[in-house]
Amino acid sequence: MAEVKLTVNGKAATADVDPNMPLLNLLMEDLGLNGPKFGCGLSQCGACTVLLDGEPIRSCVTPCSDAAGKKVTTIEGLGTTKTPHRLQQLFIEEQAVQCGYCISGILLYGKTYIDKNPRASREDIIQSLTGLICRCHTHSRMVKALERYAQEVGK
Amino acid sequence: MSMKHATMTTDAYQALNRRDFFKTAGALVIGFHAAGNPQQASAQNPIGGAPYPTVPLTATDSWVAIAADETVYVYSGKCDFGQGFRTVQAQLAADELYVPFERVNMTICDTAITPDQGVSSGSQGSPTQFGPSALRQALATARETLLKMAADQLKAQVSELQIINGVISVKADSSRRVSYGSLVGGKKLSTAISAAAKFKDPATYTVLGKSIPRLDVPSKVTGEFEYVQAVRLPGMLHGKVVRPTRQGARVVSVDESSVKGMPGNVKVVVKKDFVGVVADREWDALQAAQALNVTWTGGTTLPAFDGIYDFMTKQPTRKAFIVNSGDVDGQLKAAKRTFSATYLHPFQMHGSMGTSCAVADIKGTGTAATGTIYAATQGVYPLRDAIATVLGASTNNLRVIFKEGSGCYGINGVDTVAYDASILSQAVGKPVRVQYTRRDENVAGENYGPAFVMRLKAGVDDKNQLTAWDYEGFSFSKGGRPTGNAAANIISGELVGLTIAAVAPNTTPTVPAAFSNNSNAAPAYGTGTVNGVSGSTGVLRNERVLSHTIQSPFFTGPLRSPNRLQNSFANESFMDEVAAALGEDPVQYRLRHLADPRLIDALKQAASAAKWETRSAPKRGNLRKGKVTGRGVAVLLYEGNNGYSTVIAEVEVDQDKGNVVVTRFVISQDSGPVSNPDGLRNQMEGGTLQGMSRALREEVRWDDFGVTAADWRKYPVFQFGEFVPQMVTVPINNLNATQDGAGEGAITIVAAALANAIFDATGARIRQVPFTPQRVLDALTTRGAGLPLAVAKPVKWDGFSREVVLDGSGSVEPANGALTYQWRSVGSSQAAIYGAGQSKATAQFSSGPGDYTFELKITNAAGDSDTSSITVTYSGR
Ligand code: FES
Ligand code: FES
């Protein structure tokens, strides 16, 4: 066991955990977050995606020790139902989920890519999501919401 | 689970039970079924001493309650897994009760609160809730009861009253008014659902029929939504299961010393062949489960993966006719032409995005056991009964609360994991959360959609009309949805030692009493005649549809469009094969055999939206190498009576690599009145793409040691990064019809539409799902020669010169062989043609100004020919 200090969604957090434990477990169990989710534990689906110092990573295969001293952002850190992030708002407008279990990966990979590549094309956006799964196959709506976001960021 | 407005209440899973709610919610009109007796309503154990009596279907109070603050509480036994059905039910309540949508508070699927509606499955949500004896009937009864009460209070006739936003007033003098909440303040009332209560006319809906945004979307995209995976109870521990890798393996011994001293206060739980561990943290439990040394017996030998389809047709089977009418054998003998083909469909899995999870808090043992289980189940009551069987508990001592999980698409691992959590919780006397690993879910958690072999035969007369249809299908079965009497329908039930009867083979097929096409084994083209009564809407009288069921090596169960999808792949592929062999257009040929106006309309609307070009398949002029495009169609009368769908797929096939890329889908759906147009479109789109994934990618594989499809690499699905087809949806809002299911129409016929499109593009027929690149390449080796395409056009010309050059050099001979050309002048104005046997010819207008039409006929070495015509206007001099 070791004390892991990190910043999660702008707040300092400390947890006494096995440093080899996946970061996902710390976020879910110690901090009670619901955004990142367990889908495979194998880095194959993206349900557990969070931003680590601004870059999307798979928290199911990232040991807590790797997050020590770093900034973690989950989809809760983007916005809330009262004040959603613009991208979350676009997903609401496009009704771009079904079960929504996959949403962390789609939002965080998509946002990171588009923020760096404003005016990304539809094909670029789809490519940037490679390695993510949405088993409800809500692909066309998700891509549409991200395309709208890209158009707005690119303005 | 309660939800109001855009967010879930955070105390949802400490939800008040029904009685507490009635104590705190204040005055109610219509409430708890026992509300007529205040003493009962507040008693701890109102019925027979059990804490959680079944909520009856027949009392209006079971479905709807109105609080003094005007909130309308609606209780439903039909769940939502991301399809938006929670929102649709709230829309229904708002409309039937004439209240604003925001005033409705939905509670769905909780055995302590909601009526016992069995399972939410098979696209039965809308047909049930909008049907004659469920939610809509309860709402209509409530409205009529309120009106009668208001009439008494306002001293008016019911016919003189109106309802606006939950306020009843006298039409002629709206100052004489009373709101729902104040009307019933202090009074309690109990009414039975009245069959005579009148539904609101769908033409007057103000909330239904609108694309009301789903209630759950905002909290899902911001991470606030509480899935079952996020249920956290005080003192909760974490459990993991340890499954045998081989089917049928049993525990020989469990070496508890293998996990001794591991962190997290590890406890090992063994109940016959069920093995699990419990620890303080999930991480501790996972490591302990991996370290636990269990010795298993060798288990049963699986049939070889490679020979599975052959195996299926050689087993003892349970045989049943779906229909056997007319004289199929005689008609096949007399037919002008006959056709036959065999189609193969693999085992597939639900493969939910999130692995299944449940939290159980069980105290005590035997009939004294009590407790609460949070599960993402499709049936809270059947699961309650099944867990009671597993634990030896009394059903009324258990409460199962639905908490949404990830999309399940049928019976994934959610019920089994609820058993697991219950068993582990009971063993340790603490609340236990279990979430499967990906391997647990894929290999020993869920019930697969079964493999199928389908043999088809058909005969046609000299007018190309179908005269006989003969289907023989073989499929697997083991288990299914759990119930109190069949708790071994899922794996954990079997592991704790419960059993279910194996499939019992018979020699003479059973004969139905009436036509039921629940599994879509019969095509929509037949009359479905059983005992002289036609149960379907097609025109074909001679039909034989025989199904064989075989004991399955794996647990099987409903997977989105169970059996209907496999059967429709075969039937709709075969219909296309027949049409193609006869040189008929696939849409026109289907229309000739349909009589159902709604199915005809669904087909025509899709064809028109797709700008379907009438012609036979395969597409002329497609080269036999490189990338080619094609289109395919398939139609469906879901379950024989539950929604009308058409899917048109447009594909690009890479004939060198075997890859199939779908460029566009056009989908029509008539499910009666559309409750939520955007929600319907979302279902049509998602179902279609999931169908594409299943058709192109998905297959459960195994080897001698067990199922190998343990993760997303071994069970690939359509993923991001791959081309996303354009989706054109055509919802048909049929206000005069009853409400049908809509979530499983499109997915059912995607495989056939794709197989038909691949044929159109390449001339190769693919009869085995999934259409992997290798299977496509294999199919290409057995196709016929490509058909030539005639392309006639005039060389650029001023319209005045007396001669025009006719150019046929754009014609295509796919095999690159020699073509012969023949030009002629047709129509009333005749022209002389020079070089009529060349690819380029010259026409000389001999009869003055006017329209001249020329026809080019090309013929290849095999004798296949094609024609193309052009008309030019000669203005003369
Ligand atoms: S849960 Fe981390 S990638 Fe699947
Ligand atoms: S919306 Fe269900 S997995 Fe993406």
Side-chain angles (χ1 to χ4, degrees), chain B residues 237-238 259 261-268 277-281 284 428:
Chain B
L237 303 175
H238 294 265
V259 295
M262 288 190 74
N265 303 307
V266 176
K267 289 194 192 65
V268 176
V277 298
V278 178
D280 294 346
R281 299 195 59 120
D284 301 330
V428 301

Side-chain angles (χ1 to χ4, degrees), chain B residues 621-669:
Chain B
N622 272 4
L623 295 181
R624 286 312 201 231
K625 57 179 168 20
K627 289 181 177 165
V628 285
T629 61
R631 66 9 168 9
V633 63
V635 302
L636 174 73
L637 172 44
Y638 185 71
E639 295 179 332
N641 61 5
N642 191 11
Y644 303 79
S645 314
T646 297
V647 169
I648 292 173
E650 294 167 4
V651 301
E652 183 186 89
V653 183
D654 182 334
Q655 297 174 104
D656 306 323
K657 299 204 177 81
N659 291 331
V660 177
V661 172
V662 186
T663 49
R664 187 167 79 136
F665 279 113
V666 179
I667 315 133
S668 68
Q669 176 77 38

